Amino acid sequence: MEKRLVVANIGMKFGMCHVEGAMSYGAEIAAICDSNEENLRFAGERYGIPEEKRFTDYMDIVNNKDIDVVTVAIPDQQHVKVSCDLLRSGKHVLCEKPLALTREDLEKIIKVADESGSKFMVGQICRFTPAFEKAKEIIDTGTIGEIYFIESEYAHDYMKLCDDWRADPKRHGVIGGGCHAVDLIRWLAGNPQEVFAYGTHKLLPMVEYDDATIAVMKFGENVAGKVFVSTGCKRDYTMRTVIYGTKGTIICDNTSPAMTLFVTDEDGVTQEPQTIDVEVNNHNAAREFEVFADAIINNKPVATDAREGAKTVEVCLSIVESSKTGKPVKPNYNF
């Protein structure tokens, strides 16, 4: 009989979806943790988790030898210490994006993950969003030919969300939120070889960093791209993404029940657009946990491991550097 995974979830403000993901898989929830007792109480009551399984100190999870897997959904600044402590204790860890906020911390967590022998996954959730999964499938089948331009955006108004950890200058909007769009285009088109960016700051007076940034990118094999990040935009949240190929175009996002596909006929003439219905699930934690559990149980590699998460942050750091210096930057993927 296949072993039932024993899971703990840290961070109940943003991590309740991870509790649901583990529960939908059939895992045993051995513990939930949050330093905020009200968040902890709310989650415990919502999911029927008794008080003896609720903890305010994550070290109670680190020291519990019965726990196999831990999800980490806490402020970005805390990812490295908490994840490293868990890895050193022999736990498999699913850590929310972005992996870390500095190059030094990225290298630290990669080293610990390598030495631990445990599975480590970065929660790059866009790779599990139904519309984006469908776009990847269409691209991989060659339906739209070769990509020559790709663009994505992270548009999310932080005006009422910007608490202290989000306002931290190290957590630039491109790194904290824009990493979604950056990771998505890396997944679909590969690693950008050079980025150039401009930023503006007109919307969020409580932060020091630019609240809108546009980055253009050069990829290999005659491919270009663009990422737009706005953390103060006055509109609904969206990650509208367009992939232009030599034989067609895909238009999709993470909040709409349909995506649009243009393809050409054998003479190269663009046909009427096709509408493809998709599930709206922009935080598909159930699918994410299923993939991670499969990697653990069947000893498979994790696609979004520490190095993959680090490469996404490296592109984000390069965008921030370029917007500050006014010069193009080549990301360093040597981790």
Side-chain angles (χ1 to χ4, degrees):
M1 182 177 177
E2 190 174 88
K3 180 183 183 297
R4 189 184 189 197
L5 292 176
V6 179
V7 177
N9 307 93
I10 301 176
M12 290 300 103
K13 187 171 183 179
F14 306 106
M16 288 197 296
C17 64
H18 292 297
V19 179
E20 294 172 6
M23 291 176 73
S24 71
Y25 182 79
E28 175 188 343
I29 306 300
I32 58 173
C33 178
D34 198 296
S35 59
N36 183 300
E37 292 186 1
E38 179 56 28
N39 291 344
L40 195 60
R41 181 198 62 78
F42 180 83
E45 292 180 357
R46 179 169 181 169
Y47 300 116
I49 299 169
E51 290 188 16
E52 62 267 23
K53 293 185 177 181
R54 305 176 195 172
F55 301 93
T56 56
D57 186 348
Y58 81 94
M59 289 303 296
D60 288 316
I61 293 173
V62 170
N63 294 324
N64 187 328
K65 298 186 183 303
D66 295 328
I67 292 172
D68 303 310
V69 185
V70 184
T71 64
V72 177
I74 54 181
D76 307 335
Q77 296 86 342
Q78 301 169 18
H79 286 178
V80 175
K81 176 171 173 47
V82 173
S83 294
C84 287
D85 285 344
L86 291 165
L87 287 166
R88 291 188 184 107
S89 73
K91 310 286 192 288
H92 303 292
V93 179
L94 195 170
C95 179
E96 267 292 350
K97 63 79 211 165
L99 176 57
L101 303 179
T102 67
R103 178 88 187 190
E104 179 183 6
D105 279 347
L106 294 172
E107 292 172 345
K108 178 179 180 180
I109 200 166
I110 288 171
K111 183 175 186 294
V112 173
D114 285 349
E115 292 173 348
S116 73
S118 295
K119 299 291 184 183
F120 184 85
M121 182 178 191
V122 184
Q124 306 289 177
I125 199 65
C126 288
R127 302 191 188 204
F128 303 98
T129 299
F132 299 149
E133 283 190 308
K134 186 64 177 179
K136 174 70 169 170
E137 176 188 321
I138 293 169
I139 292 166
D140 289 348
T141 59
T143 302
I144 65 167
E146 297 180 7
I147 295 173
Y148 66 89
F149 181 74
I150 183 169
E151 62 180 352
S152 186
E153 64 186 25
Y154 177 82
H156 196 176
D157 189 357
Y158 280 12
M159 182 57 76
K160 294 183 179 180
L161 301 174
C162 206
D163 41 22
D164 289 345
W165 69 274
R166 279 195 174 100
D168 182 347
K170 286 185 178 180
R171 193 195 186 269
H172 192 290
V174 169
I175 303 171
C179 64
H180 278 308
V182 169
D183 187 73
L184 178 60
I185 67 169
R186 284 190 58 244
W187 184 46
L188 299 177
N191 290 327
Q193 301 305 303
E194 183 176 279
V195 303
F196 184 83
Y198 289 107
T200 62
H201 188 182
K202 290 187 174 183
L203 296 160
L204 298 179
M206 73 288 289
V207 304
E208 297 178 16
Y209 53 77
D210 290 335
D211 48 42
T213 303
I214 184 167
V216 293
M217 303 176 174
K218 284 199 308 185
F219 296 80
E221 300 180 10
N222 201 22
V223 181
K226 181 186 80 173
V227 165
F228 172 66
V229 178
S230 179
T231 50
C233 57
K234 306 310 168 191
R235 59 158 300 169
D236 293 340
Y237 167 61
T238 185
M239 279 190 57
R240 184 176 183 272
T241 300
V242 186
I243 307 106
Y244 293 91
T246 54
K247 296 180 180 179
T249 302
I250 302 167
I251 304 172
C252 57
D253 63 55
N254 59 338
T255 59
S256 300
M259 56 193 292
T260 304
L261 172 65
F262 293 87
V263 294
T264 57
D265 62 18
E266 58 186 13
D267 297 319
V269 178
T270 303
Q271 302 299 291
E272 290 296 315
Q274 302 173 30
T275 298
I276 302 173
D277 295 331
V278 291
E279 178 190 1
V280 177
N281 189 342
N282 64 20
H283 210 109
N284 192 0
R287 176 62 179 153
E288 183 177 50
F289 188 88
E290 178 187 0
V291 169
F292 190 43
D294 181 52
I296 294 167
I297 292 168
N298 296 303
N299 195 26
K300 295 180 180 179
V302 177
T304 55
D305 62 7
R307 282 182 175 78
E308 188 70 0
K311 289 176 182 178
T312 290
V313 176
E314 170 62 16
V315 178
C316 295
L317 290 169
S318 298
I319 291 170
V320 173
E321 180 183 346
S322 176
S323 69
K324 289 179 178 178
T325 64
K327 297 178 181 179
V329 175
K330 297 181 184 295
N332 176 8
Y333 299 114
N334 185 26
F335 287 102

